[in-house]
Amino acid sequence: MSTVVEAQGVSKRYGDVAALDQVSFTLHENRIHGLLGRNGAGKTTLMQIMTGQNFASSGELTVFGERPYENEPVLSRVCFIKESLTYPQHFKVRHALEAARLLFPRWDEEFAQTLLADFRLPLNRKIRKLSRGMHSMLGIVIGLAARAPLTLFDEPYLGLDAVARHLFYDHLLTDYAEHPRTIVLSTHLIDEVGDLLENVLLLDQGRILLDTTAEELRGQVVTAAGPAAAVNEFAAGSEELHRETLGRYARATLRGRFGPAERDRAQQLGLDLEPVSLQDIVIRLTTARADGGSRPRPDRATDPGKEPIR
Amino acid sequence: MDNGRPIFLQIAEMIENSIIDGTLAEESQVPSTNELAAFHRINPATAGKGINQLVDDGILYKKRGIGMFVATGARARLRDRRREQFAQQYLHPLLAEASKLGIGADELKRMIDQWEQER
Amino acid sequence: MSERVSHASGPSRVGRAVLVQLVGWPSTLGAAWGTLVLVFLLNLALFGAIHDNEPSPQTGALASIYIITFVGAISSINQVFPFTLSLSLIRRTFYTAFALLQVGQALLFGVLLTLCKLVEDVTGGWGLNLTFFGLGFLDQDNPLLQILVYTVPFVVLGFWGSFIALVYQRWHLPGVYVLAIVKILAVGLPIVLITWQRWWDEIGRWIVDQPSLSLVAGWPLVIGVAMAGAGYLTIRRATP
């Protein structure tokens, strides 16, 4: 599996603020990656650096094995559709498509026309007169029809209704299946795209919190619910991300290895082991950090609010 | 797809169910990875992993250039395997709940008989 | 799938960058000439209605197309540059295409204006003794020099406008303020110096000694090229 993007200790500072802090990761060829994290986590900055639109303060980042900055052979294979994509004032929808056709070597005009029809985009309307949703659709049409070997979507669907979003997912999936390429999806709608992702990169406060496959992540985090004492026993050895208690009943979100053996043990302890959605995993991981770091069990005793009743 | 359980397992299970209930006959062609991915709105690699697991189990086999097919004898094999898992998957929780409620083994048997008669 | 692909056929990347900047040209280039034609027709109608054409009327309305070009260069940098950068066009290629387009467009406009001037001369000022194109200080005997005289201001204004816009794209408002201060100093300090040293007479003599060609084409061209270079250095690390 070859590497498309490789980052080594990439940092980006704006004055005292570190938008990215020692970020290292790799993106693999022909996979769909989710770039997740809260607002201000550094996702957009990272994608701008990947596409040569911004510069790292330090560290090394390569795309297709080369630095992307002002690198024509690399960038002509990259398409970055950002939420804030702006078009020249005088552009109509068809002008934007003409420009994209000129600039993306693998542009598929037929596919673009199909997408336009599906999204019901008016070719001759001025782009600045489009609704927010239609504006987003135009970006999506360009991003998909460009067929760039590395395609990045940064919150591509502001103002899109559920129908249009699912249209996007469906086209993305079928076209990706026929024309595999490396895709990066940055979004808040994690539940909607969770099943589309093969890899997950979670950024928080400029740092990489997670770099794993979606499949693996699903098995890594569970909630264990039952008598507090049993939860405590079961939670020993795994990282506790969150805990709620109700009387002698406790529910803990845990991160660790949960294979058949652990599941048997939970059953013996009378615990309900429940899966956690990708969305909830991300919420738990990012809020655990915001509380001042994730807490392994021993620390919990110092936090009276979260101390279970024994 | 339900959350939590690996999606590829769910895909494999869905195909298995179709084989067990006869929807997918032996020697018939199975939907392609891409078709499965599009239908379930999941990553094609995940769908492929589910299919590959069934290939490894000998449930499906590959005809080069055509696609995946249900192996002869797959249905019987799946049924045997499910039977083995039945106790763990269904009896274990049943007994656990029964003992929590103070229902003994004899009473449980009577309940099952009664249920069967009423059905 | 991972070979380096450029479009298999058709124009080069720079050529494509030129074409991208021409997308929707009727509302940019077309608007410039549309405005000029409109202003010209208004002038014709106005002076045609007055009849009494003594002394022969002159108008500075030709400046409109130069102003539009200046504004066009600014909005090209402010709007088309960020857009093409978003579509993965590198800055160098964009700017090369932009510069080619500026020069080509200036030359085309220069030729068109020269033709208009010729018609104006032949028709006796459009039958009204009107001087719209052949303003006295721009007059050259040689048609090639005439083209040059019309062309150079387009080049200078184009690169001046784009440089200002690029400073904004790279350093945003603070950059534009600094640029404004630098400009005031660059113009003000020499004036103070010249006044203090009483050099005005010499400067005046130097200007008078210059052929009009170097005043309207030569020296401005030097400034235009300097601006183009400054623009290139500025765009290299612009992050709009």
Side-chain angles (χ1 to χ4, degrees), chain C residues 181-206:
Chain C
I181 292 167
V182 167
K183 258 192 212 153
I184 290 168
L185 292 180
V187 174
L189 284 183
I191 288 179
V192 170
L193 185 71
I194 290 164
T195 311
W196 176 51
Q197 294 285 351
R198 299 169 200 279
W199 283 343
W200 280 118
D201 287 349
E202 282 170 61
I203 302 247
R205 242 172 287 136
W206 181 81

Short mmCIF file of all heavy atoms in Angstrom, two decimals, chain C residues 181-206:
data_model
loop_
_atom_site.label_atom_id
_atom_site.label_comp_id
_atom_site.label_asym_id
_atom_site.label_seq_id
_atom_site.Cartn_x
_atom_site.Cartn_y
_atom_site.Cartn_z
N ILE C 181 2.20 53.97 2.94
CA ILE C 181 3.18 54.82 3.63
C ILE C 181 4.48 54.87 2.82
O ILE C 181 5.06 55.94 2.60
CB ILE C 181 3.44 54.30 5.06
CG1 ILE C 181 2.17 54.49 5.89
CG2 ILE C 181 4.61 55.01 5.69
CD1 ILE C 181 2.17 53.74 7.20
N VAL C 182 4.90 53.69 2.35
CA VAL C 182 6.13 53.62 1.55
C VAL C 182 6.00 54.51 0.32
O VAL C 182 6.93 55.23 -0.04
CB VAL C 182 6.44 52.16 1.14
CG1 VAL C 182 7.51 52.12 0.07
CG2 VAL C 182 6.84 51.34 2.35
N LYS C 183 4.82 54.45 -0.30
CA LYS C 183 4.62 55.24 -1.51
C LYS C 183 4.68 56.73 -1.22
O LYS C 183 5.32 57.49 -1.95
CB LYS C 183 3.24 54.92 -2.11
CG LYS C 183 3.32 53.98 -3.29
CD LYS C 183 1.98 53.98 -3.97
CE LYS C 183 1.72 52.63 -4.58
NZ LYS C 183 0.30 52.38 -4.68
N ILE C 184 4.03 57.13 -0.11
CA ILE C 184 4.04 58.55 0.24
C ILE C 184 5.48 59.01 0.48
O ILE C 184 5.91 60.06 0.01
CB ILE C 184 3.18 58.80 1.49
CG1 ILE C 184 1.70 58.59 1.12
CG2 ILE C 184 3.41 60.19 2.05
CD1 ILE C 184 0.77 58.52 2.30
N LEU C 185 6.24 58.15 1.20
CA LEU C 185 7.64 58.49 1.47
C LEU C 185 8.44 58.53 0.17
O LEU C 185 9.24 59.42 -0.05
CB LEU C 185 8.26 57.47 2.44
CG LEU C 185 7.69 57.51 3.87
CD1 LEU C 185 8.36 56.47 4.75
CD2 LEU C 185 7.85 58.91 4.47
N ALA C 186 8.19 57.54 -0.70
CA ALA C 186 8.96 57.44 -1.94
C ALA C 186 8.72 58.65 -2.83
O ALA C 186 9.61 59.09 -3.56
CB ALA C 186 8.60 56.16 -2.69
N VAL C 187 7.53 59.21 -2.76
CA VAL C 187 7.25 60.38 -3.56
C VAL C 187 7.61 61.65 -2.79
O VAL C 187 8.22 62.58 -3.33
CB VAL C 187 5.75 60.41 -3.97
CG1 VAL C 187 5.41 61.70 -4.70
CG2 VAL C 187 5.44 59.21 -4.85
N GLY C 188 7.27 61.67 -1.50
CA GLY C 188 7.43 62.87 -0.68
C GLY C 188 8.89 63.22 -0.41
O GLY C 188 9.30 64.38 -0.58
N LEU C 189 9.68 62.23 -0.01
CA LEU C 189 11.07 62.51 0.35
C LEU C 189 11.87 63.13 -0.80
O LEU C 189 12.53 64.14 -0.62
CB LEU C 189 11.76 61.24 0.88
CG LEU C 189 11.35 60.85 2.31
CD1 LEU C 189 12.12 59.61 2.76
CD2 LEU C 189 11.58 62.00 3.27
N PRO C 190 11.78 62.54 -2.02
CA PRO C 190 12.49 63.17 -3.14
C PRO C 190 12.02 64.61 -3.38
O PRO C 190 12.84 65.48 -3.66
CB PRO C 190 12.13 62.28 -4.33
CG PRO C 190 11.81 60.95 -3.74
CD PRO C 190 11.20 61.25 -2.41
N ILE C 191 10.70 64.85 -3.21
CA ILE C 191 10.20 66.21 -3.44
C ILE C 191 10.83 67.17 -2.43
O ILE C 191 11.31 68.25 -2.78
CB ILE C 191 8.66 66.24 -3.34
CG1 ILE C 191 8.05 65.55 -4.57
CG2 ILE C 191 8.15 67.68 -3.21
CD1 ILE C 191 6.55 65.47 -4.59
N VAL C 192 10.85 66.70 -1.15
CA VAL C 192 11.46 67.53 -0.11
C VAL C 192 12.93 67.77 -0.44
O VAL C 192 13.42 68.90 -0.41
CB VAL C 192 11.32 66.85 1.27
CG1 VAL C 192 12.14 67.57 2.31
CG2 VAL C 192 9.85 66.79 1.68
N LEU C 193 13.59 66.68 -0.83
CA LEU C 193 15.02 66.76 -1.13
C LEU C 193 15.27 67.72 -2.30
O LEU C 193 16.16 68.58 -2.24
CB LEU C 193 15.53 65.35 -1.48
CG LEU C 193 17.05 65.22 -1.71
CD1 LEU C 193 17.77 65.37 -0.38
CD2 LEU C 193 17.39 63.88 -2.35
N ILE C 194 14.44 67.56 -3.35
CA ILE C 194 14.63 68.37 -4.55
C ILE C 194 14.39 69.85 -4.24
O ILE C 194 15.15 70.73 -4.66
CB ILE C 194 13.68 67.88 -5.67
CG1 ILE C 194 14.14 66.50 -6.17
CG2 ILE C 194 13.64 68.87 -6.83
CD1 ILE C 194 13.08 65.77 -6.98
N THR C 195 13.34 70.09 -3.44
CA THR C 195 13.01 71.47 -3.09
C THR C 195 14.13 72.09 -2.26
O THR C 195 14.57 73.22 -2.48
CB THR C 195 11.69 71.51 -2.29
OG1 THR C 195 10.73 70.72 -2.98
CG2 THR C 195 11.18 72.93 -2.14
N TRP C 196 14.62 71.29 -1.28
CA TRP C 196 15.65 71.75 -0.36
C TRP C 196 16.96 72.06 -1.12
O TRP C 196 17.60 73.07 -0.91
CB TRP C 196 15.87 70.65 0.69
CG TRP C 196 16.97 70.94 1.67
CD1 TRP C 196 17.12 72.07 2.41
CD2 TRP C 196 18.04 70.08 2.01
NE1 TRP C 196 18.22 71.99 3.20
CE2 TRP C 196 18.82 70.75 2.97
CE3 TRP C 196 18.43 68.78 1.62
CZ2 TRP C 196 19.97 70.19 3.54
CZ3 TRP C 196 19.56 68.23 2.19
CH2 TRP C 196 20.32 68.93 3.13
N GLN C 197 17.29 71.18 -2.09
CA GLN C 197 18.52 71.34 -2.85
C GLN C 197 18.31 72.25 -4.07
O GLN C 197 19.24 72.44 -4.84
CB GLN C 197 19.03 69.97 -3.33
CG GLN C 197 19.48 69.04 -2.22
CD GLN C 197 20.83 69.43 -1.64
OE1 GLN C 197 21.52 70.32 -2.17
NE2 GLN C 197 21.21 68.81 -0.53
N ARG C 198 17.09 72.75 -4.25
CA ARG C 198 16.75 73.61 -5.39
C ARG C 198 17.15 72.96 -6.70
O ARG C 198 17.86 73.52 -7.52
CB ARG C 198 17.44 74.99 -5.27
CG ARG C 198 17.02 75.72 -4.03
CD ARG C 198 17.90 76.94 -3.80
NE ARG C 198 17.84 77.38 -2.43
CZ ARG C 198 16.85 78.14 -1.93
NH1 ARG C 198 15.89 78.55 -2.70
NH2 ARG C 198 16.87 78.50 -0.67
N TRP C 199 16.69 71.70 -6.86
CA TRP C 199 17.02 70.96 -8.09
C TRP C 199 15.89 71.06 -9.13
O TRP C 199 15.97 70.46 -10.18
CB TRP C 199 17.24 69.47 -7.78
CG TRP C 199 18.59 69.21 -7.16
CD1 TRP C 199 19.67 70.04 -7.16
CD2 TRP C 199 18.97 68.03 -6.45
NE1 TRP C 199 20.71 69.48 -6.49
CE2 TRP C 199 20.32 68.21 -6.03
CE3 TRP C 199 18.33 66.83 -6.11
CZ2 TRP C 199 21.01 67.25 -5.31
CZ3 TRP C 199 19.04 65.88 -5.40
CH2 TRP C 199 20.36 66.09 -5.00
N TRP C 200 14.83 71.77 -8.81
CA TRP C 200 13.65 71.74 -9.68
C TRP C 200 13.98 72.20 -11.10
O TRP C 200 13.50 71.60 -12.06
CB TRP C 200 12.52 72.60 -9.12
CG TRP C 200 11.75 71.89 -8.04
CD1 TRP C 200 11.64 72.26 -6.74
CD2 TRP C 200 11.02 70.67 -8.18
NE1 TRP C 200 10.89 71.37 -6.04
CE2 TRP C 200 10.49 70.36 -6.90
CE3 TRP C 200 10.77 69.79 -9.23
CZ2 TRP C 200 9.72 69.24 -6.66
CZ3 TRP C 200 10.00 68.68 -8.99
CH2 TRP C 200 9.49 68.41 -7.71
N ASP C 201 14.81 73.24 -11.23
CA ASP C 201 15.13 73.75 -12.57
C ASP C 201 15.81 72.68 -13.41
O ASP C 201 15.45 72.43 -14.56
CB ASP C 201 16.05 74.97 -12.47
CG ASP C 201 15.25 76.17 -11.97
OD1 ASP C 201 14.00 76.06 -11.94
OD2 ASP C 201 15.88 77.18 -11.60
N GLU C 202 16.77 72.00 -12.76
CA GLU C 202 17.51 70.96 -13.49
C GLU C 202 16.58 69.83 -13.91
O GLU C 202 16.65 69.33 -15.04
CB GLU C 202 18.63 70.39 -12.62
CG GLU C 202 19.85 71.30 -12.55
CD GLU C 202 20.83 70.83 -11.50
OE1 GLU C 202 21.34 69.70 -11.61
OE2 GLU C 202 21.05 71.60 -10.54
N ILE C 203 15.70 69.44 -12.96
CA ILE C 203 14.75 68.37 -13.26
C ILE C 203 13.87 68.79 -14.44
O ILE C 203 13.64 68.02 -15.38
CB ILE C 203 13.88 68.06 -12.03
CG1 ILE C 203 14.77 67.68 -10.86
CG2 ILE C 203 12.82 67.00 -12.38
CD1 ILE C 203 14.68 66.27 -10.40
N GLY C 204 13.39 70.02 -14.36
CA GLY C 204 12.53 70.53 -15.43
C GLY C 204 13.26 70.47 -16.76
O GLY C 204 12.70 69.99 -17.76
N ARG C 205 14.52 70.88 -16.75
CA ARG C 205 15.28 70.85 -18.01
C ARG C 205 15.44 69.41 -18.51
O ARG C 205 15.28 69.13 -19.69
CB ARG C 205 16.68 71.49 -17.79
CG ARG C 205 16.89 72.74 -18.65
CD ARG C 205 18.17 73.42 -18.26
NE ARG C 205 18.07 74.11 -16.97
CZ ARG C 205 19.01 74.06 -16.02
NH1 ARG C 205 20.10 73.35 -16.20
NH2 ARG C 205 18.83 74.70 -14.88
N TRP C 206 15.69 68.49 -17.55
CA TRP C 206 15.87 67.07 -17.93
C TRP C 206 14.59 66.53 -18.58
O TRP C 206 14.63 65.88 -19.61
CB TRP C 206 16.20 66.24 -16.68
CG TRP C 206 16.42 64.78 -16.97
CD1 TRP C 206 17.54 64.20 -17.44
CD2 TRP C 206 15.45 63.73 -16.81
NE1 TRP C 206 17.36 62.86 -17.60
CE2 TRP C 206 16.09 62.53 -17.22
CE3 TRP C 206 14.13 63.69 -16.38
CZ2 TRP C 206 15.43 61.30 -17.20
CZ3 TRP C 206 13.49 62.46 -16.36
CH2 TRP C 206 14.14 61.28 -16.77
#
